[in-house]
Amino acid sequence: MQRFKQNSFTKKPFGKSHSMNLHKQGSGSARTVAVFVHGLNGSGYGTWKAWPRILFEGGSGFPPIDVALFYYPSLFKAAYRLQPGANIDLQAQQLAEHLQELSKEYDEIYLIAHSLGGLVAEAAVSLYLTDLVIRERDCLPVSPIAAIFLMASPLGGSGKALLLFSFFRDVRRLRLLSKDQERYAQFFNSHVQVQCLASEGKYRFIVPRYAGIATLDVAVSPTSASGSIPNEQRRQFRGTHFSVVKPKSPTDPQHAWLLACLRDVQEMRAQWHRNAKQKKLATVLQDDAASDVFVTRLESERRRSAWDIIYNRVRAEASTSYVDVLDYSHVKADTKVDLLIAVNQASGVIAGSHASNHVVASAVEAFESGAAVDVGICPVGEEHPEAESEVGNLLPAGARNKFYIEGADDDDTMGEVIGGWIDALLHRHPSRQAIKNRHRILRLSYDAYEEAEEL
């Protein structure tokens, strides 16, 4: 690996024995690196044009980060070999070794891969994570590998490329139902939480996968480029198979999407660490400490990372050294939920969708069974005033006054709403009311706690 400390991004030739160039910020303080992995017959710099420079220089509210470019000869650039084309397994092993080296310097490593490079990147990550478990049996689910961005990658194969150049071994890797691809796909399906969620669930690691899909791509179909990646982590861009990875400015949609995803991943990882810290505090709920712990739960019509992230952030901000606001997944199974938070789409409530109605029905069932003490229902969307009325109609007769029903225009406002509910819940706790000069969670028009301090 060649290292270059730079104040402005400048391309450097790859050394004969070096397959990666690492461009480090002049300050040397970056703890995040983006690794670019080109595709079939691509080049370390030419595949991406300005994108590495744009990311290196920062902007759009995102700080500059370090950038690394991985190069491997493929297709015509490797045609002179006894077996024409790149040895993908060998390239994946080399990239995995680079990732291991980078993990000693960086807290977060993001892989941005194009076309065949996506298969190389995922193979390398599977090798890295497997080796990590062998070296550190107690390694955390949140590893230095923060996320993978697959741009126009043939996750389901590319029949057209195989038809044209089937005598190249790297092209043969693109055949439909390739055993090699199935092997690595099985690794992610079995061991990796690929959604941007602050919980590993049944999986060993959390590594969100994202797909960038080119609408004018004639080499890789949208179905192949999507693979098994969650719908909310896919994005279509107008462009060809090659132009989709060549944004010209920080305002181009590919780069703006990348930055938004990086922010989501960083918040998710921070939330995971907050959750882990709280789990240590709540492995067992002691009866004499129960008054200092409040339990909340989020119920929504579908798993949406944005809602989970906002909910967890507000919950964490509400916790203090006196009061822990814990998600129900962090406490014993029979612990009663103090506040169940139900979130659904306002448009779905108005349309009477099964998913939206199910969220309300689940909230009512939890309340009536005694599993939840308080329930808040928040329809999200500009139509929320009408949706609030519809929610009221779905509640049993005389039950509306027992629920918080408050809609929100958008996701950010939703955070304020559920923050207000949690705040109201905490006001009932006398030990919190005794805390002086506590920073406010949210700016509310009325603050009963401040009045209590003046008494």
Side-chain angles (χ1 to χ4, degrees):
M1 183 188 303
Q2 298 185 115
R3 303 165 185 270
F4 306 98
K5 200 172 224 184
Q6 301 175 328
N7 293 319
S8 60
F9 186 84
T10 304
K11 299 177 184 178
K12 295 291 184 179
F14 289 92
K16 289 185 178 181
S17 59
H18 299 94
S19 56
M20 178 171 285
N21 284 354
L22 174 60
H23 297 259
K24 298 179 67 68
Q25 297 291 328
S27 64
S29 60
R31 299 295 299 169
T32 300
V33 63
V35 178
F36 286 84
V37 184
H38 67 76
L40 190 68
N41 207 50
S43 62
Y45 292 93
T47 292
W48 313 99
K49 295 297 183 185
W51 208 354
R53 174 184 59 79
I54 294 171
L55 197 54
F56 184 83
E57 295 177 352
S60 301
F62 200 85
I65 65 175
D66 289 352
V67 167
L69 296 104
F70 179 69
Y71 173 70
Y72 59 100
S74 60
L75 197 62
F76 300 125
K77 296 177 181 179
Y80 57 87
R81 297 173 176 173
L82 292 176
Q83 295 187 56
N87 183 332
I88 299 303
D89 290 326
L90 177 61
Q91 305 306 328
Q93 182 61 53
Q94 290 182 349
L95 179 55
E97 291 171 1
H98 287 309
L99 295 177
Q100 168 61 23
E101 190 174 351
L102 291 172
S103 69
K104 299 175 183 178
E105 303 179 42
Y106 297 96
D107 298 326
E108 296 177 352
I109 302 172
Y110 295 91
L111 289 99
I112 304 170
H114 176 237
S115 192
L116 178 66
L119 307 186
V120 176
E122 294 213 315
V125 169
S126 68
L127 293 172
Y128 170 86
L129 293 178
T130 300
D131 184 63
L132 181 61
V133 172
I134 294 173
R135 288 185 289 106
E136 304 175 30
R137 289 186 176 274
D138 297 328
C139 59
L140 298 178
V142 174
S143 77
I145 307 299
I148 306 173
F149 294 86
L150 304 164
M151 305 298 294
S153 290
L155 304 178
S158 174
K160 293 183 179 179
L162 182 61
L163 180 65
L164 294 174
F165 307 108
S166 60
F167 50 94
F168 287 90
R169 57 180 169 174
D170 44 12
V171 175
R172 291 196 297 271
R173 193 66 169 260
L174 302 177
R175 66 182 181 274
L176 300 176
L177 302 178
S178 162
K179 290 184 179 179
D180 295 306
Q181 285 180 238
E182 286 185 353
R183 182 171 78 252
Y184 294 121
Q186 181 60 36
F187 175 85
F188 279 88
N189 291 338
S190 302
H191 304 292
V192 183
Q193 167 64 275
V194 299
Q195 287 186 288
C196 188
L197 297 174
S199 172
E200 63 273 22
K202 65 178 182 179
Y203 302 100
R204 185 66 182 81
F205 295 101
I206 304 175
V207 182
R209 299 165 74 218
Y210 295 85
I213 304 165
T215 58
L216 304 178
D217 196 334
V218 297
V220 180
S221 70
T223 300
S224 179
S226 301
S228 59
I229 291 175
N231 289 333
E232 64 271 19
Q233 291 167 208
R234 307 174 187 173
R235 181 66 62 86
Q236 289 193 342
F237 302 99
R238 181 171 178 78
T240 67
H241 183 73
F242 300 101
S243 68
V244 73
V245 291
K246 295 178 175 63
K248 298 178 181 179
S249 75
T251 59
D252 281 6
Q254 300 98 311
H255 187 67
W257 172 71
L258 174 66
L259 294 189
C261 294
L262 293 183
R263 293 186 184 98
D264 285 347
V265 173
Q266 289 180 338
E267 173 58 31
M268 177 274 292
R269 289 166 67 86
Q271 183 59 49
W272 186 92
H273 285 289
R274 289 194 291 265
N275 289 348
K277 185 177 181 180
Q278 288 192 338
K279 282 182 180 180
K280 291 182 179 180
L281 299 174
T283 51
V284 179
L285 267 175
Q286 301 290 344
D287 290 339
D288 58 352
S291 61
D292 294 326
V293 174
F294 289 91
V295 180
T296 60
R297 174 180 174 181
L298 177 66
E299 184 81 24
S300 64
E301 60 190 78
R302 63 178 184 270
R303 298 301 296 266
R304 284 193 51 178
S305 60
W307 290 353
D308 284 303
I309 288 171
I310 292 169
Y311 158 74
N312 284 316
R313 185 185 68 239
V314 172
R315 181 178 57 77
E317 289 173 351
S319 296
T320 71
S321 58
Y322 292 83
V323 180
D324 290 314
V325 182
L326 304 178
D327 184 74
Y328 81 106
S329 63
H330 299 162
V331 299
K332 293 188 297 185
D334 58 349
T335 303
K336 183 174 291 187
V337 173
D338 293 292
L339 176 62
L340 186 144
I341 300 166
V343 182
N344 49 18
Q345 291 285 0
S347 57
V349 174
I350 295 171
S353 77
H354 172 75
S356 295
N357 289 347
H358 180 71
V359 170
V360 177
S362 297
V364 172
E365 180 181 357
F367 179 80
E368 292 183 337
S369 67
V373 176
D374 287 299
V375 175
I377 303 175
C378 180
V380 180
E382 294 181 354
E383 313 96 323
H384 70 81
E386 181 180 352
E388 291 173 24
S389 298
E390 291 296 329
V391 168
N393 295 333
L394 294 172
L395 300 180
R400 178 163 184 154
N401 293 335
K402 300 178 181 179
F403 289 75
Y404 295 105
I405 303 177
E406 185 177 355
D409 289 328
D410 50 36
D411 288 353
D412 289 334
T413 311
M414 180 206 76
E416 296 181 9
V417 170
I418 65 176
W421 294 341
I422 294 176
D423 207 45
L425 177 68
L426 297 181
H427 279 321
R428 302 174 187 173
H429 192 263
S431 67
R432 179 178 184 267
Q433 292 178 13
I435 303 171
K436 302 296 183 181
N437 301 320
R438 183 183 184 278
H439 292 295
R440 298 291 297 145
I441 302 168
L442 300 164
R443 292 185 178 180
L444 304 176
S445 57
Y446 171 75
D447 191 346
Y449 167 62
E450 289 182 357
E451 281 193 3
E453 281 191 318
E454 295 173 359
L455 297 177

Coordinates of all heavy atoms in Angstrom, one line a residue, residues 85-114:
G85 N -7.7 -12.8 -17.9 CA -8.6 -12.2 -17.0 C -8.1 -12.3 -15.6 O -7.1 -12.9 -15.3
A86 N -8.7 -11.6 -14.7 CA -8.3 -11.5 -13.3 C -8.7 -12.7 -12.5 O -9.8 -13.3 -12.7 CB -8.9 -10.2 -12.6
N87 N -7.9 -13.1 -11.5 CA -8.2 -14.1 -10.6 C -8.9 -13.4 -9.4 O -8.3 -12.8 -8.5 CB -6.9 -14.8 -10.1 CG -7.2 -15.9 -9.1 OD1 -8.2 -15.9 -8.4 ND2 -6.3 -16.9 -9.0
I88 N -10.3 -13.5 -9.4 CA -11.1 -12.7 -8.5 C -10.8 -13.1 -7.1 O -10.7 -12.3 -6.1 CB -12.6 -12.9 -8.8 CG1 -12.8 -12.3 -10.2 CG2 -13.4 -12.1 -7.8 CD1 -12.4 -10.9 -10.4
D89 N -10.6 -14.4 -6.8 CA -10.3 -14.9 -5.5 C -9.0 -14.3 -4.9 O -8.9 -13.9 -3.8 CB -10.3 -16.4 -5.4 CG -11.6 -17.0 -5.6 OD1 -12.6 -16.4 -5.2 OD2 -11.7 -18.1 -6.2
L90 N -8.0 -14.2 -5.8 CA -6.7 -13.7 -5.4 C -6.9 -12.2 -5.1 O -6.3 -11.6 -4.2 CB -5.7 -13.9 -6.5 CG -4.3 -13.3 -6.3 CD1 -3.7 -13.9 -5.0 CD2 -3.4 -13.5 -7.5
Q91 N -7.6 -11.4 -6.0 CA -7.8 -10.0 -5.8 C -8.6 -9.7 -4.5 O -8.3 -8.8 -3.8 CB -8.5 -9.4 -7.0 CG -7.9 -9.6 -8.4 CD -6.4 -9.2 -8.4 OE1 -6.0 -8.3 -7.7 NE2 -5.6 -9.9 -9.2
A92 N -9.6 -10.6 -4.2 CA -10.3 -10.4 -3.0 C -9.5 -10.6 -1.8 O -9.6 -9.9 -0.8 CB -11.5 -11.4 -3.0
Q93 N -8.5 -11.6 -1.9 CA -7.6 -11.8 -0.8 C -6.7 -10.6 -0.5 O -6.5 -10.2 0.6 CB -6.8 -13.1 -1.0 CG -5.9 -13.5 0.1 CD -6.6 -13.7 1.4 OE1 -7.5 -14.6 1.5 NE2 -6.2 -13.1 2.5
Q94 N -6.2 -10.1 -1.6 CA -5.3 -8.9 -1.5 C -6.1 -7.7 -0.9 O -5.6 -7.0 0.0 CB -4.8 -8.5 -2.9 CG -3.8 -9.5 -3.4 CD -3.2 -9.0 -4.8 OE1 -3.7 -8.1 -5.4 NE2 -2.2 -9.7 -5.2
L95 N -7.3 -7.5 -1.4 CA -8.1 -6.4 -0.8 C -8.4 -6.7 0.7 O -8.4 -5.7 1.5 CB -9.5 -6.3 -1.6 CG -10.4 -5.2 -1.1 CD1 -9.7 -3.8 -1.1 CD2 -11.7 -5.1 -2.0
A96 N -8.7 -7.9 1.0 CA -9.0 -8.2 2.5 C -7.8 -7.9 3.3 O -7.9 -7.4 4.4 CB -9.4 -9.7 2.6
E97 N -6.6 -8.2 2.8 CA -5.3 -7.8 3.5 C -5.2 -6.3 3.7 O -4.8 -5.9 4.7 CB -4.1 -8.4 2.8 CG -4.1 -10.0 2.8 CD -3.0 -10.5 1.9 OE1 -2.3 -9.8 1.3 OE2 -2.9 -11.8 1.9
H98 N -5.6 -5.6 2.6 CA -5.5 -4.1 2.8 C -6.6 -3.6 3.8 O -6.3 -2.7 4.6 CB -5.8 -3.5 1.4 CG -4.7 -3.6 0.4 ND1 -3.4 -3.2 0.7 CD2 -4.7 -4.0 -0.9 CE1 -2.7 -3.4 -0.4 NE2 -3.4 -3.9 -1.3
L99 N -7.7 -4.3 3.8 CA -8.7 -3.9 4.8 C -8.2 -4.1 6.2 O -8.5 -3.3 7.2 CB -10.0 -4.6 4.6 CG -10.8 -4.4 3.3 CD1 -12.0 -5.2 3.1 CD2 -11.2 -2.9 3.2
Q100 N -7.5 -5.3 6.4 CA -7.0 -5.6 7.7 C -6.0 -4.5 8.1 O -5.9 -4.0 9.3 CB -6.3 -6.9 7.7 CG -5.4 -7.3 8.8 CD -6.2 -7.3 10.2 OE1 -7.4 -7.5 10.2 NE2 -5.5 -7.1 11.2
E101 N -5.2 -4.1 7.2 CA -4.2 -3.0 7.5 C -4.9 -1.7 7.8 O -4.5 -1.0 8.7 CB -3.2 -2.9 6.3 CG -2.0 -2.0 6.6 CD -1.0 -2.0 5.4 OE1 -1.2 -2.8 4.5 OE2 -0.1 -1.1 5.5
L102 N -5.9 -1.3 7.0 CA -6.6 -0.1 7.2 C -7.3 -0.1 8.6 O -7.5 1.0 9.2 CB -7.6 0.2 6.1 CG -7.0 0.5 4.7 CD1 -8.1 0.5 3.7 CD2 -6.3 1.8 4.7
S103 N -7.8 -1.3 9.0 CA -8.6 -1.3 10.3 C -7.7 -1.0 11.5 O -8.3 -0.7 12.5 CB -9.2 -2.7 10.4 OG -8.1 -3.7 10.7
K104 N -6.4 -1.0 11.3 CA -5.5 -0.6 12.4 C -5.5 1.0 12.6 O -5.0 1.5 13.6 CB -4.2 -1.1 12.2 CG -4.1 -2.7 12.2 CD -2.7 -3.2 11.9 CE -2.7 -4.7 11.7 NZ -1.3 -5.2 11.4
E105 N -5.9 1.7 11.5 CA -5.8 3.1 11.5 C -7.1 3.8 11.5 O -7.2 5.0 11.9 CB -5.1 3.6 10.2 CG -3.7 3.0 10.0 CD -3.1 3.5 8.7 OE1 -3.2 4.7 8.4 OE2 -2.5 2.7 8.0
Y106 N -8.2 3.1 11.1 CA -9.5 3.8 10.9 C -10.6 3.1 11.7 O -10.6 1.9 11.8 CB -9.9 3.8 9.4 CG -8.9 4.6 8.6 CD1 -7.9 4.0 7.9 CD2 -9.0 6.0 8.5 CE1 -7.0 4.7 7.1 CE2 -8.1 6.7 7.7 CZ -7.1 6.1 7.0 OH -6.2 6.8 6.3
D107 N -11.5 4.0 12.2 CA -12.7 3.4 12.9 C -13.7 3.0 12.0 O -14.5 2.1 12.3 CB -13.3 4.5 13.8 CG -12.3 5.0 14.9 OD1 -11.5 4.2 15.4 OD2 -12.3 6.2 15.2
E108 N -13.8 3.6 10.8 CA -14.8 3.3 9.8 C -14.2 3.2 8.4 O -13.5 4.1 8.0 CB -15.9 4.4 9.8 CG -16.7 4.5 11.1 CD -17.7 5.7 11.1 OE1 -17.7 6.4 10.1 OE2 -18.5 5.8 12.0
I109 N -14.5 2.1 7.8 CA -14.1 1.8 6.4 C -15.3 1.6 5.5 O -16.1 0.7 5.8 CB -13.2 0.6 6.3 CG1 -12.0 0.7 7.2 CG2 -12.7 0.3 4.9 CD1 -11.1 -0.5 7.3
Y110 N -15.5 2.4 4.5 CA -16.6 2.3 3.6 C -16.1 1.9 2.2 O -15.1 2.4 1.7 CB -17.3 3.7 3.4 CG -18.0 4.2 4.7 CD1 -17.3 5.0 5.6 CD2 -19.3 3.8 5.0 CE1 -17.9 5.4 6.7 CE2 -19.9 4.2 6.1 CZ -19.2 5.0 7.0 OH -19.8 5.5 8.2
L111 N -16.7 0.8 1.7 CA -16.3 0.3 0.4 C -17.3 0.8 -0.7 O -18.5 0.7 -0.5 CB -16.2 -1.2 0.3 CG -15.0 -1.8 1.1 CD1 -15.5 -2.3 2.5 CD2 -14.4 -2.9 0.3
I112 N -16.8 1.4 -1.8 CA -17.6 1.9 -2.9 C -17.1 1.2 -4.1 O -15.9 1.3 -4.5 CB -17.4 3.4 -3.1 CG1 -17.8 4.2 -1.8 CG2 -18.3 3.9 -4.2 CD1 -17.4 5.7 -1.8
A113 N -17.9 0.3 -4.6 CA -17.5 -0.6 -5.7 C -18.3 -0.5 -6.9 O -19.6 -0.3 -6.8 CB -17.5 -2.1 -5.2
H114 N -17.7 -0.6 -8.1 CA -18.4 -0.6 -9.4 C -18.4 -1.9 -10.1 O -17.4 -2.6 -10.1 CB -17.8 0.5 -10.2 CG -18.4 0.6 -11.6 ND1 -17.7 0.4 -12.8 CD2 -19.7 0.8 -12.0 CE1 -18.5 0.6 -13.8 NE2 -19.7 0.8 -13.4

